[in-house]
């Protein structure tokens, strides 16, 4: 079977059904058990009028799934987001309730189907600290059941749920790190503005400080070396971008540089537990780039690229002997295919295509762009144009990302492809503060919500208009979370630019927003005051850049969507905005889902949201006439 990626066609693409873009995949998130004897994956199960993703498992023989898949999770309220194998017979996954992000960790015996809630604490948030690969019966779990503002670490029996505390948080620890034996050896202490990295030689010793920085300087431990003494970290001490370094706790200020890119932050590194070596480091420029340290990993990657031409390659799961892998082959035009790959035989077994409903030849390439902001700062982003259409006077959806200390990335994005399939160009801008571009670019966002960060978005639109790609009468802006804030702020600051706007779980009032953050964010509140603004010292600026307090400037038709259980952006943020606009007679649609949080998760709610988005944009931008529907 030939799996080379076809080029996009030259003629306009047929119009696909909306649900083809947003429905749950028939199978996804494939993962092999440690010994390779079992394969797990997520598969939708019909629940009333919709579906929920649940975990299924299947036996594997000679590198191929055999027999009938068996369902082992039975969630009906929300999809299972992901899972991992603990040994050959146990699957572990997390669940929350209605989107409140108070996750429980559950263990399921893949043979008997027995389910154990390992963190049955109401109102607490739990997560995996270490899967303890060498301990068949225990996990390390961090949760805040004792103190809502602090996460302690417990060794938890996956069969009985019995917990033993191995690290207690005094209240100012914001991160833990284990060694290869699963012992908690490093801790990150923060008062919000200053960070101290603590180290201990073993779990019977006290933590002692070894590195102190302000919050602008990051030393982020990744993993220990093979001797469990020195540790690898991503560090930007004395440099603009985060580099991979090796740190000896006996001489913590003498970093040994392993690899750096002077333009982009490193995002992480890989480690082989089998061979006890670092394997790769990676960073994101126009797309994800890897630097390999060992020949085995480099050869494997090159071999897979030859077997799967045109695709980007990612290893998503591996057996403990590092001989069998789940491989993802994807691009900006398709979520792609998944395979079982054997390193010894160099054979690929095709598990499936994530979304066979969408033909990659009908999807639009995501093109990296760059332009200069008004103050001379270089800004990067992506432009996706509908295929087979002249790139001139197009209706455009400007799509600022959330975070804001995150970034847009190259790859398949169902929202972007849906909009391009409907005839819209999509502009995504990594405005100042977006991560991965170094410390100076990040710091340029401090205190700039609604100011220069907003200007970067406006400058991107001006760049697009100058090239005559966009029809100036058919511009819309749509974003979620911080992107929702940027959407609302665009209507206040540039009220004549956009014909329509969509705010998805966005912040509207910078003063009330910081009063309603989850309790486990409170140790970082001083940092938020510095990066966003202080409610007393910077009150005038925060008021001037809060859309709900400046609604008198808004005249653009607006659609707002909000989850009632959102712990990050409280529903009151959207309520304020809607009430302020309705009081002035401005057209606003408001969609609230009681069983959702920070973004819609359930399939039926996503369908309704995108259906209303399509109708709203169609009404206000009136894109080109509908094309034939894909069958």
């Amino acid at each position: 079977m030939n799996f080379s990626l076809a080029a996009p066609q030259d003629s306009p693409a047929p119009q696909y059904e909306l649900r083809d873009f947003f429905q749950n995949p028939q199978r996804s998130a494939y993962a092999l058990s440690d010994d390779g004897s079992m394969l797990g994956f997520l598969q939708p199960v019909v629940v009333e009028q919709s579906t929920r993703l649940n975990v299924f498992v299947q036996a594997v023989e000679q590198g191929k799934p055999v027999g009938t898949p068996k369902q082992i999770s039975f969630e009906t309220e929300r999809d299972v987001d992901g899972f991992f194998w603990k040994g050959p017979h146990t699957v572990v996954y997390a669940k929350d309730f209605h989107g409140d992000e108070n996750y429980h960790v559950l263990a399921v015996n893949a043979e008997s189907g027995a389910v154990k809630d390992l963190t049955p604490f109401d109102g607490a948030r739990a997560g995996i600290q270490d899967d303890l690969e060498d301990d068949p019966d225990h996990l390390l779990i961090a949760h805040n059941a004792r103190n809502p503002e602090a996460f302690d670490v417990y060794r938890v029996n996956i069969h009985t749920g019995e917990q033993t505390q191995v690290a207690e948080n005094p209240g100012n620890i914001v991160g833990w790190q284990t060694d290869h034996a699963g012992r908690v050896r490093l801790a990150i202490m923060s008062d919000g503005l200053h960070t101290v990295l603590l180290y201990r030689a073993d779990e019977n010793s006290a933590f002692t400080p070894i590195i102190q920085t302000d919050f602008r300087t990051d030393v982020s431990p990744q993993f220990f070396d093979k001797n469990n003494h020195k540790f690898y970290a991503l560090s930007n001490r004395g440099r603009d971008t985060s580099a991979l370094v090796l740190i000896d706790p006996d001489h913590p200020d003498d970093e040994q540089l392993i690899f750096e890119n002077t333009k982009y932050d490193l995002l992480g590194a890989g480690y082989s537990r089998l061979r006890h070596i670092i394997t790769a480091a990676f960073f994101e420029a126009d797309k994800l780039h890897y630097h390999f340290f060992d020949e085995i990993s480099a050869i494997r990657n090159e071999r897979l690229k030859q077997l799967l031409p045109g695709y980007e390659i990612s290893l998503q799961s591996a057996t403990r002997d590092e001989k069998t892998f789940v491989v993802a082959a994807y691009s900006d035009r398709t979520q792609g295919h998944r395979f079982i790959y054997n390193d010894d035989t160099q054979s690929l077994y095709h598990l499936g295509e994530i979304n066979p409903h969408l033909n990659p030849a009908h999807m639009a390439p995501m093109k990296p762009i760059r332009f200069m902001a008004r103050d001379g700062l270089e800004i990067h982003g992506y432009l996706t144009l509908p295929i087979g259409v002249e790139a001139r006077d197009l209706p455009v959806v400007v799509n600022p990302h959330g975070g804001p200390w995150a970034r847009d990335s190259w790859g398949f994005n169902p929202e972007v492809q849906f909009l391009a399939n409907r005839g819209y160009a999509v502009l995504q801008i990594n405005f100042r503060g977006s991560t991965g571009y170094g410390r100076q670019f990040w710091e340029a966002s401090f205190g700039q919500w609604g100011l220069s960060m907003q200007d970067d978005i406006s400058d991107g639109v001006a760049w697009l208009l100058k090239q005559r790609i966009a029809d100036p009468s058919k511009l819309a802006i749509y974003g979620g979370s911080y992107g929702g804030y940027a959407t609302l702020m665009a209507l206040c600051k540039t009220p004549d630019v956009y014909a329509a706007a969509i705010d998805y779980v966005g912040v509207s009032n910078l003063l009330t927003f910081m009063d309603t953050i989850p309790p486990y964010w409170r140790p970082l509140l001083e940092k938020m005051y510095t990066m966003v603004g202080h409610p007393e010292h910077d009150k005038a600026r925060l008021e001037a850049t809060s859309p709900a307090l400046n609604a008198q400037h808004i005249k653009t038709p607006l659609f707002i969507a909000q989850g009632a259980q959102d712990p990050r952006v409280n529903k009151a943020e959207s309520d304020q905005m809607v009430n302020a606009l309705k009081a002035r007679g401005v057209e606003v649609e408001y969609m609230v889902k009681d069983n959702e949080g920070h973004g819609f998760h359930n399939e039926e709610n996503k369908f309704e949201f995108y259906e209303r988005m399509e109708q709203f944009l169609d009404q206000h931008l009136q894109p080109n006439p509908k094309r034939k529907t894909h069958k």
Side-chain angles (χ1 to χ4, degrees):
M1 188 179 292
N2 181 12
F3 288 105
S4 59
L5 181 62
Q9 68 178 35
D10 295 328
S11 56
Q15 183 166 295
Y16 282 77
E17 294 290 337
L18 178 147
R19 297 189 177 205
D20 289 342
F21 294 92
F22 302 111
Q23 66 187 335
N24 286 326
Q26 285 307 300
R27 288 188 181 178
S28 60
Y30 296 93
L32 290 161
S33 62
D34 294 357
D35 62 358
S37 65
M38 297 289 287
L39 177 73
F41 51 86
L42 297 181
Q43 182 170 308
V45 176
V46 175
V47 176
E48 295 180 353
Q49 302 301 311
S50 190
T51 68
R52 295 290 181 265
L53 290 173
N54 274 282
V55 184
F56 286 70
V57 297
Q58 191 172 7
V60 175
E61 294 179 2
Q62 298 180 334
K64 299 179 181 181
V66 296
T68 303
K70 174 184 176 183
Q71 183 179 351
I72 62 167
S73 77
F74 296 86
E75 299 298 334
T76 58
E77 286 189 2
R78 296 172 68 74
D79 292 333
V80 175
D81 261 342
F83 68 93
F84 67 89
W85 285 93
K86 172 66 177 169
H89 305 304
T90 303
V91 164
V92 178
Y93 71 94
K95 64 177 287 186
D96 73 342
F97 302 87
H98 307 300
D100 63 6
E101 298 186 21
N102 288 322
Y103 294 100
H104 290 213
V105 177
L106 288 82
V108 187
N109 185 301
E111 294 181 323
S112 69
V115 180
K116 186 69 181 178
D117 186 346
L118 303 179
T119 56
F121 313 116
D122 290 338
R125 178 184 173 108
I128 302 299
Q129 183 65 49
D130 192 320
D131 64 358
L132 299 182
E133 189 174 341
D134 297 323
D135 181 340
D137 300 316
H138 296 88
L139 295 168
L140 287 189
I141 294 177
H143 64 70
N144 62 344
R146 182 185 62 84
N147 177 359
E149 296 185 16
F151 290 82
D152 305 314
V153 183
Y154 299 83
R155 181 173 282 104
V156 181
N157 187 296
I158 62 172
H159 312 295
T160 67
E162 180 184 358
Q163 304 199 13
T164 304
Q165 188 181 88
V166 297
E168 181 171 319
N169 194 328
N172 56 0
I173 301 298
V174 296
W176 306 94
Q177 182 69 48
T178 57
D179 62 17
H180 296 303
R183 297 169 298 207
V184 179
R185 300 275 305 285
L186 294 168
I188 301 170
M189 181 172 70
S190 177
D191 63 5
L193 294 178
H194 299 89
T195 299
V196 179
L197 185 61
L198 307 174
Y199 170 84
R200 63 182 179 183
D202 55 61
E203 289 186 326
N204 296 319
S205 303
F207 280 107
T208 58
I210 59 171
I211 296 172
Q212 182 168 337
T213 64
D214 66 16
F215 77 93
R216 291 173 167 83
T217 304
D218 184 45
V219 180
S220 179
Q222 300 294 293
F223 40 76
F224 278 80
D225 69 358
K226 65 178 180 180
N227 297 317
N228 277 331
H229 180 64
K230 298 178 181 179
F231 59 91
Y232 293 93
L234 298 181
S235 170
N236 64 357
R237 282 196 292 177
R239 57 178 67 86
D240 185 55
T241 57
S242 291
L244 182 64
V245 300
L246 182 63
I247 296 175
D248 183 341
D250 298 327
H251 307 282
D253 292 329
D254 299 329
E255 295 180 347
Q256 179 185 341
L257 179 64
I258 304 299
F259 180 74
E260 70 175 330
N261 183 295
T262 57
K263 192 169 182 180
Y264 301 102
D265 295 310
L266 295 192
L267 301 180
Y271 183 85
S272 167
R273 287 182 61 93
L274 181 71
R275 295 180 286 128
H276 308 295
I277 59 169
I278 55 172
T279 56
F282 48 94
F283 61 93
E284 194 169 6
D286 55 340
K287 60 175 68 172
L288 201 60
H289 295 265
Y290 291 88
H291 173 84
F292 292 101
F293 296 104
D294 72 301
E295 190 177 19
I296 290 175
S297 298
I299 290 174
R300 179 188 300 127
N301 183 72
E302 188 58 36
R303 185 178 293 137
L304 285 166
K305 290 178 76 170
Q306 291 174 6
L307 288 169
L308 299 164
Y311 292 98
E312 300 297 309
I313 303 299
S314 173
L315 301 181
Q316 297 192 323
S317 172
T319 52
R320 194 166 179 182
D321 62 10
E322 297 181 11
K323 290 186 177 181
T324 309
F325 303 85
V326 171
V327 173
Y330 67 94
S331 81
D332 54 341
R333 295 184 290 114
T334 177
Q335 291 170 285
H337 302 261
R338 303 297 181 265
F339 303 86
I340 292 179
Y341 171 72
N342 185 278
D343 228 1
D344 288 342
T345 63
Q346 300 174 27
S347 60
L348 282 172
Y349 176 81
H350 187 226
L351 290 170
E353 187 175 3
I354 298 300
N355 190 345
H357 301 287
L358 300 176
N359 183 346
H362 295 158
M363 300 294 109
M366 179 183 279
K367 299 177 182 178
I369 61 163
R370 63 183 68 187
F371 60 88
M372 301 302 288
R374 63 190 66 181
D375 62 357
L377 189 65
E378 185 176 74
I379 306 295
H380 295 247
Y382 299 94
L383 177 63
T384 304
L385 301 171
I387 66 171
V389 178
E390 183 184 5
R392 193 172 182 83
D393 294 329
L394 294 171
V396 174
V397 176
V398 181
N399 182 213
H401 64 71
W405 303 293
R407 62 162 287 166
D408 278 316
S409 298
W410 183 93
F412 184 86
N413 183 317
E415 286 186 339
V416 171
Q417 293 297 337
F418 166 64
L419 291 168
N421 187 251
R422 295 303 188 260
Y424 300 102
V426 182
L427 178 64
Q428 298 170 282
I429 298 167
N430 283 328
F431 43 80
R432 68 192 65 203
S434 300
T435 50
Y437 297 96
R439 187 206 313 229
Q440 288 184 335
F441 191 82
W442 173 62
E443 289 186 11
S445 70
F446 291 5
Q448 294 299 310
W449 283 42
L451 300 172
S452 61
M453 295 170 73
Q454 197 70 39
D455 291 340
D456 291 343
I457 297 169
S458 296
D459 293 345
V461 174
W463 170 83
L464 200 62
L465 289 169
K466 186 176 180 181
Q467 298 185 67
R468 298 292 305 276
I469 292 173
D471 181 337
S473 68
K474 294 186 178 183
L475 291 170
I477 184 167
Y478 154 61
S481 196
Y482 175 85
Y485 165 83
T487 294
L488 297 174
M489 201 61 213
L491 305 190
C492 295
K493 197 168 184 177
T494 53
D496 297 315
V497 170
Y498 298 101
I502 302 169
D503 158 31
Y504 186 38
V505 299
V507 175
S508 74
N509 185 328
L510 297 183
L511 296 169
T512 56
F513 161 64
M514 284 189 281
D515 284 339
T516 57
I517 61 173
Y520 44 85
W521 282 13
R522 296 205 176 275
L524 302 176
L525 197 54
E526 289 297 326
K527 177 179 173 181
M528 288 288 287
Y529 289 160
T530 299
M531 296 173 71
V532 181
H534 193 282
E536 295 177 6
H537 310 318
D538 304 309
K539 185 177 180 182
R541 170 165 60 80
L542 295 178
E543 288 177 343
T545 52
S546 290
L549 305 181
N550 295 275
Q552 71 274 15
H553 299 295
I554 297 179
K555 55 187 179 183
T556 304
L558 180 63
F559 171 33
I560 295 178
Q562 176 72 47
Q565 309 298 323
D566 192 337
R568 299 174 182 234
V569 177
N570 194 277
K571 179 176 175 288
E573 292 294 308
S574 292
D575 289 345
Q576 289 179 69
M577 199 70 236
V578 171
N579 293 336
L581 291 173
K582 284 188 172 179
R584 293 184 50 247
V586 175
E587 179 184 347
V588 56
E589 290 186 31
Y590 193 22
M591 176 181 179
V592 178
K593 290 298 176 183
D594 292 335
N595 63 342
E596 295 286 7
H598 196 59
F600 295 169
H601 196 87
N602 290 338
E603 191 178 58
E604 68 276 10
N605 295 331
K606 289 190 291 185
F607 289 161
E608 183 182 345
F609 172 65
Y610 291 114
E611 285 165 359
R612 290 181 64 171
M613 172 194 283
E614 180 176 17
Q615 293 164 5
F616 183 80
L617 292 174
D618 195 54
Q619 176 186 350
H620 295 290
L621 265 65
Q622 298 178 346
N624 293 330
K626 295 287 188 293
R627 300 176 305 283
K628 66 178 181 179
T629 300
H630 182 266
K631 301 295 185 183

